[in-house]
Amino acid sequence: MAAKSKTLTTDDILVLLCGSVKKVLTTATQTDINYSPMVQKITRTCLRPDIGCFVLFDGGFSGLVIMNFCAQSAMEIYRAYMMSMGMPESELATQHTSDEVGNMLGELMNQIVGDFTGKVGHELMVSINQNQPKMLAINKEVLVSIDTNLDRAQARRVSFTTERRNVFYMELAMDKTEFIKLHDFEREEVDPDRIVEEASQRTVATTSREDVVDQDLLDELGI
C-alpha cells in the first residue's frame, strides 16, 4: 500500500518564516527573540509606525512579508546587533529615524527572507525569489497589497517579543495553497550560515532611507 501523502499548508509555510525571523534575529543580536504560538488571521496587510519593512517574493508561489517595529523594539535590536559586532555604545544612533537604524533592519530582513527561501527550497523543493527589502519610517498606517491576482489570498499576523519585552509584528500575505508530498525524496544539504551570508552580501547597507523606497514598486503596490 502506498504511503499516505502529506499536505503542507499556508500556515506550515508561515511556521518556516517565523523560524527564520527568530533564528536570524537571535543570532544577530545575541539575545532571546520569541514569537507567539497564536497566529492572527487578518484581512489586510499594513505598514505601521514607527518603522515598516516589506519585501515581495515570487516563483513557486507569490507573497508579501511585512515587519512592523515600534521605536523601542527597533532601537533594542539595532543596539544589540551593532554592539555584538563591537561597535562602541557612544557611536550608536540615538533615534529610530536615523539612516543607520533603517539600513540595519533592511540588512536583517534580507537575511531573514534569504534564510526562508533556503528553507522553502529545502523542505518543499520549490524555488522562490525575493526583491530588495524596502524600509519606511512612518507615523501612520499604510495599506500594502500585492498587485496581482492571488488565488484566495490569505494573510496572517504574528507577534514577536524581544528580550526586553518590546513587541514587533510580522505579517504574511500569500496564496491559499497546499503542497502535497507524493513520495519521499532526499533533501539537498543546506548550509544556513552560507545562505545568511549570501543574503547579507546582497544588501546595500549604505543606501540612505530616502533612496531605499523604489517608487516604481510602491506604485505597483498602490501606495
Side-chain angles (χ1 to χ4, degrees):
M1 179 180 293
K4 183 178 180 180
S5 61
K6 180 180 179 181
T7 301
L8 297 176
T9 66
T10 303
D11 289 328
D12 294 311
I13 295 172
L14 177 65
V15 170
L16 294 179
L17 181 56
C18 288
S20 291
V21 174
K22 175 179 172 63
K23 170 190 167 185
V24 170
L25 293 185
T26 295
T27 300
T29 63
Q30 297 182 19
T31 62
D32 195 19
I33 304 291
N34 291 295
Y35 61 90
S36 170
M38 300 300 293
V39 177
Q40 182 181 6
K41 289 185 177 181
I42 56 177
T43 58
R44 61 177 187 168
T45 50
C46 292
L47 294 172
R48 294 182 170 87
D50 293 300
I51 295 182
C53 321
F54 67 93
V55 62
L56 293 167
F57 60 84
D58 57 26
F61 55 92
S62 298
L64 167 70
V65 179
I66 292 177
M67 295 185 69
N68 292 306
F69 299 89
C70 66
Q72 292 82 2
S73 60
M75 290 303 295
E76 179 183 346
I77 291 171
Y78 162 75
R79 291 173 61 86
Y81 180 37
M82 300 305 290
M83 292 178 70
S84 72
M85 294 194 300
M87 178 74 73
E89 186 173 7
S90 61
E91 296 182 13
L92 297 178
T94 58
Q95 299 293 328
H96 73 276
T97 52
S98 299
D99 290 346
E100 293 90 337
V101 178
N103 291 337
M104 179 276 301
L105 291 175
E107 177 184 342
L108 290 179
M109 189 163 189
N110 207 38
Q111 293 182 26
I112 288 167
V113 180
D115 186 79
F116 169 64
T117 57
K119 286 180 179 178
V120 167
H122 182 63
E123 298 291 332
L124 306 179
M125 301 297 286
V126 172
S127 177
I128 58 176
N129 305 303
Q130 70 185 84
N131 295 101
Q132 189 72 16
K134 310 298 175 185
M135 317 292 298
L136 288 172
I138 54 179
N139 55 19
K140 62 180 179 179
E141 290 189 1
V142 178
L143 179 64
V144 182
S145 61
I146 307 174
D147 191 19
T148 57
N149 294 320
L150 290 183
D151 179 22
R152 295 183 298 167
Q154 292 186 316
R156 301 285 187 267
R157 188 173 189 234
V158 182
S159 172
F160 285 77
T161 308
T162 67
E163 190 168 77
R164 295 186 178 182
R165 311 303 297 173
N166 289 312
V167 178
F168 62 95
Y169 299 93
M170 181 193 69
E171 298 180 7
L172 170 67
M174 61 173 287
D175 277 332
K176 180 178 181 181
T177 188
E178 292 183 348
F179 287 91
I180 302 171
K181 182 179 178 182
L182 300 178
H183 58 78
D184 290 333
F185 55 86
E186 291 187 5
R187 294 181 173 87
E188 296 180 0
E189 291 299 320
V190 176
D191 181 353
D193 293 330
R194 177 181 58 80
I195 293 173
V196 172
E197 178 65 22
E198 290 177 353
S200 178
Q201 291 175 355
R202 290 194 297 267
T203 303
V204 183
T206 58
T207 304
S208 68
R209 189 175 66 255
E210 290 81 7
D211 293 337
V212 163
V213 179
D214 183 330
Q215 190 59 52
D216 290 339
L217 180 56
L218 292 181
D219 290 341
E220 292 178 10
L221 291 171
I223 297 178

